[in-house]
Amino acid sequence: MNETSAGVAGDVRAVRVQGAGKVFGSGPTALTALSAIDLEVGQGEFVSLIGPSGCGKSTLLRLIADLDQPSSGSVQVFDKPAGQARRDQDYGIAFQQAGLLPWRTVAANIALPLELHRIGKAERATRVAELLELIGLVEFAGSYPDQLSGGMQQRVAIARALVERPRLLLMDEPFGALDEMTRERMQNELVRICSETGAAVVFVTHSIPEAVFLSDRVVVMSPRPGRIVGVVPVELGQGDRHDALREEDSFFAAVAAVREALHGVEAPASQGSARGVDSR
């Protein structure tokens, strides 16, 4: 596997992107956002996309979500075309914009996917209550989106994406609007949820520490046109990530490895697999 691909062993893949490119517009004003992207995400794997602003991280996520179509190459989710996976609602999505329905309360916004799948009222209420506690908005259950701050709205959107415990989560900087303490708490909770449900995650972030804390692999992208230029494997104890980990040497080593990859400098082989850039 070459340095412009990010793959996993085995036959079962939550996400498989092959030779994907995305061009906006045509003619002399055409803008190439992505070029020759090869990315595989295994079931239950957490992969973060990181790179400079405008490198196409969000565009790649939109291709996986079938919110946009590739100009070349292909995208599959659980061995289906992305469009079919979207219609089958195989994944949950939390993007930068909360996208809440203004006429529904906080609780009703969170419950919406469950209603669409005809989950019983009692089960809906239990799950919504769990998520309201998680995001710290129990007292706002009956409030409407325009009564919430931007950060609070985003927390509701995250809860809605998690409500069905999906096998795949697509997340575009979902914690960016949260304060630091809440952001770390949501990171911890996301680790727990993924461990309990086995959900795979494709996660876009600008935060190197966040990517390292959450991920099995961090995929590093180049400036536009976006390409995968490095993959940093992170080995910090799968299913056992906790606050104290943020102060350990292995965590700082992995952060340094991602930072070096972003600057185009390969980590020395002596740093070990948690630090090294996988350039296969």
Side-chain angles (χ1 to χ4, degrees):
M1 190 175 296
N2 61 40
E3 69 176 3
T4 60
S5 63
V8 295
D11 296 327
V12 179
R13 296 168 178 83
V15 176
R16 179 187 291 175
V17 181
Q18 295 179 298
K22 180 61 182 177
V23 179
F24 293 100
S26 60
T29 61
L31 181 109
T32 302
L34 295 172
S35 176
I37 297 290
D38 292 318
L39 172 67
E40 294 175 359
V41 179
Q43 292 200 64
E45 186 181 24
F46 198 118
V47 172
S48 286
L49 307 178
I50 198 165
S53 295
C55 72
K57 303 183 295 297
S58 295
T59 298
L60 177 55
L61 204 71
R62 289 179 63 84
L63 298 186
I64 297 170
D66 193 49
L67 298 177
D68 212 336
Q69 286 68 51
S71 304
S72 57
S74 64
V75 179
Q76 290 187 315
V77 177
F78 296 114
D79 294 329
K80 307 173 185 178
Q84 185 61 50
R86 175 182 55 78
R87 289 187 290 273
D88 292 343
Q89 299 181 321
D90 284 331
Y91 46 79
I93 306 175
F95 288 146
Q96 289 173 316
Q97 300 299 318
L100 303 179
L101 299 179
W103 58 88
R104 293 179 71 98
T105 65
V106 165
N109 266 286
I110 295 172
L112 180 59
L114 300 177
E115 292 180 24
L116 293 173
H117 286 105
R118 300 182 179 179
I119 302 301
K121 185 176 180 180
E123 186 176 347
R124 291 201 312 265
T126 298
R127 181 60 178 153
V128 169
E130 292 172 354
L131 287 165
L132 285 168
E133 180 69 29
L134 167 65
I135 62 175
L137 293 178
V138 172
E139 66 272 33
F140 292 93
S143 299
Y144 290 87
D146 65 0
Q147 297 172 308
L148 307 178
S149 69
M152 293 164 70
Q153 290 182 27
Q154 189 62 17
R155 279 188 271 171
V156 176
I158 292 166
R160 185 178 57 189
L162 295 173
V163 71
E164 293 189 289
R165 301 181 178 90
R167 291 189 297 160
L168 172 66
L169 284 172
L170 304 176
M171 310 187 84
D172 190 347
E173 297 193 74
F175 305 148
L178 305 180
D179 64 83
E180 193 64 25
M181 289 183 63
T182 304
R183 183 170 184 159
E184 290 190 357
R185 184 162 66 92
M186 291 298 295
Q187 291 167 7
N188 293 341
E189 186 62 21
L190 183 56
V191 168
R192 184 188 66 79
I193 289 168
C194 292
S195 177
E196 290 182 356
T197 66
V201 182
V202 181
F203 190 93
V204 171
T205 181
H206 281 98
S207 169
I208 296 174
E210 179 170 79
V212 167
F213 182 79
L214 292 171
S215 304
D216 299 307
R217 291 183 296 143
V218 180
V219 173
V220 179
M221 296 181 65
S222 70
R224 191 174 62 240
R227 298 180 176 88
I228 294 174
V229 294
V231 181
V232 179
V234 181
E235 298 175 2
L236 298 176
Q238 305 311 309
D240 188 31
R241 299 195 181 187
H242 46 81
D243 280 331
L245 187 65
R246 304 176 198 272
E247 303 300 325
E248 294 183 4
D249 289 343
S250 59
F251 179 80
F252 292 120
V255 168
V258 175
R259 185 172 291 114
E260 289 168 356
L262 281 167
H263 289 285
V265 179
E266 185 169 339
S270 61
Q271 290 180 330
S273 61
R275 290 187 175 192
V277 176
D278 178 3
S279 59
R280 292 175 294 166

